[in-house]
């Protein structure tokens, strides 16, 4: 009978050292740059919600799933003794995702998702403190969290389709998430020996966050919003006429001009 290969052993068997010392040093630098940038990843959304005093169009479940995925990734990397540069941004994202969850729960008058987040944080810490369990359970949890983290955006994508708009989700945040997943895939090859579980999560995250980014841009273009308005909407509230309003204004102006030209001298023109 052939032995059953466990997930930790399978992950190690797929891990192949692919980077030279120079590439490892560069990957660490990129990893720390990603980590530094991640400290402000969700700040545009936090600013947007506070500025508009609203969390309309945001899904609390999305933030609970994100928090769970980030926290599981931290626990997995810590248990595998990977360099801090491989997962430092996840530590920051746990805090920011928790803050966003609390903001959404506050504006939507919901408590259950926030309580669920506390349970996830405490349970994860307890699991990390149990060596016998973490070696066998965490790799399986991380494989699930890779799917969970990427699919966390799916409720937001569905909600956007239902509302026919992107709500308060920031285009800057969506763009940073997409680029971050792409860069994290490369650093995983260098710093985590191409860990198959982490690579899968990075690739899936890139695909789904990229879908959300394209969706936000599509709705903005459809509504006649300029790129400038889309980018600065996280920090200031601009009121721009929609495409249909602009068409109506142009039509009204054209009719007034035609009427003025058709009127006899002295009529239809101000004295």
């Amino acid at each position: 009978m052939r032995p059953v290969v466990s997930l930790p052993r399978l992950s190690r068997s797929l891990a192949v050292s692919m980077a030279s010392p120079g590439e490892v040093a560069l990957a660490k630098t990129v990893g720390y740059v990603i980590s530094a940038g991640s400290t402000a990843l969700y700040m545009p959304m936090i600013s947007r919600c506070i500025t508009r005093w609203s969390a309309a169009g945001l899904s609390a479940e999305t933030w609970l799933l994100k928090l769970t995925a980030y926290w599981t990734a931290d626990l997995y990397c810590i248990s595998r003794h990977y360099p801090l540069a491989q997962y430092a941004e996840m530590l920051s994202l746990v805090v920011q995702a928790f803050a966003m969850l609390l903001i959404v729960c506050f504006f939507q008058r919901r408590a259950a998702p926030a309580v669920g987040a506390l349970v996830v944080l405490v349970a994860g810490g307890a699991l990390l403190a149990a060596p016998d369990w973490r070696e066998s359970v965490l790799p399986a949890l991380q494989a699930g969290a890779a799917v969970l983290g990427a699919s966390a955006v799916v409720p937001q994508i569905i909600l956007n389709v239902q509302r026919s708009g992107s709500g308060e989700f920031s285009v800057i945040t969506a763009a940073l998430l997409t680029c971050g997943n792409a860069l994290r895939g490369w650093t995983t090859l260098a710093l985590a020996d191409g860990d198959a579980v982490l690579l899968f999560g990075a690739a899936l995250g890139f695909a789904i966050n990229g879908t959300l980014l394209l969706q936000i841009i599509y709705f903005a273009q459809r509504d006649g919003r300029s790129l400038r308005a889309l980018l600065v909407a996280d920090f200031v509230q601009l009121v721009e006429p929609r495409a249909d309003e602009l068409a109506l204004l142009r039509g009204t102006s054209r009719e007034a001009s035609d009427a003025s030209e058709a009127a006899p001298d002295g009529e239809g023109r101000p004295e």
Side-chain angles (χ1 to χ4, degrees):
M1 181 179 294
R2 298 179 62 182
V4 177
V5 180
S6 66
L7 184 55
R9 185 176 300 174
L10 174 62
S11 180
R12 291 190 184 97
S13 68
L14 292 174
V16 179
S17 182
M18 303 177 183
S20 66
E23 290 174 332
V24 169
L26 178 59
K28 284 186 176 181
T29 302
V30 172
Y32 284 124
V33 169
I34 294 174
S35 301
S38 71
T39 59
L41 179 62
Y42 293 124
M43 291 308 296
M45 296 195 66
I46 293 174
S47 171
R48 186 186 185 104
C49 290
I50 293 175
T51 300
R52 297 170 180 253
W53 203 245
S54 168
L58 294 180
S59 168
E61 286 72 19
T62 285
W63 296 103
L64 177 56
L65 292 174
K66 279 181 173 292
L67 173 68
T68 302
Y70 293 147
W71 185 225
T72 303
D74 282 329
L75 298 176
Y76 176 74
C77 291
I78 291 171
S79 70
R80 305 274 291 195
H81 306 291
Y82 288 145
L84 181 62
Q86 174 62 30
Y87 64 93
E89 81 276 7
M90 295 294 179
L91 297 172
S92 170
L93 294 178
V94 166
V95 176
Q96 293 179 67
F98 188 51
M100 274 301 306
L101 177 61
L102 293 180
I103 289 173
V104 174
C105 287
F106 170 77
F107 284 116
Q108 297 181 1
R109 301 294 188 268
R110 300 178 62 189
V115 174
L118 292 175
V119 172
V120 167
L121 293 173
V122 173
L127 181 60
L128 186 63
D132 294 338
W133 281 89
R134 73 187 183 193
E135 288 300 321
S136 58
V137 174
L138 275 176
L141 287 179
Q142 175 56 23
V147 177
L148 191 66
S151 62
V153 182
V154 173
Q156 185 67 54
I157 293 174
I158 294 173
L159 185 61
N160 290 348
V161 173
Q162 293 173 343
R163 291 170 53 90
S164 192
S166 57
E168 301 299 337
F169 208 100
S170 164
V171 67
I172 296 176
T173 296
L176 290 175
L177 283 169
T178 304
C179 294
N181 283 129
L183 290 173
R184 184 49 73 197
W186 177 70
T187 61
T188 297
L189 292 174
L191 300 179
D193 294 330
D195 187 296
V197 176
L198 296 180
L199 280 176
F200 171 72
L204 190 60
F206 175 80
I208 296 183
N209 285 305
T211 299
L212 177 63
L213 175 62
L214 293 176
Q215 189 184 52
I216 294 173
I217 294 174
Y218 165 76
F219 283 127
Q221 293 295 315
R222 184 205 61 183
D223 294 340
R225 297 174 62 193
S226 66
L227 180 60
R228 170 180 172 273
L230 187 62
L231 292 174
V232 305
D234 297 333
F235 308 102
V236 295
Q237 187 170 0
L238 297 179
V239 179
E240 287 196 346
R242 300 192 308 270
D244 55 345
E245 294 174 336
L246 285 172
L248 179 61
L249 289 172
R250 293 191 187 103
T252 303
S253 176
R254 188 179 299 110
E255 290 175 1
S257 177
D258 293 343
S260 176
E261 292 176 357
D265 292 344
E267 295 184 15
R269 299 176 183 172
E271 293 294 336

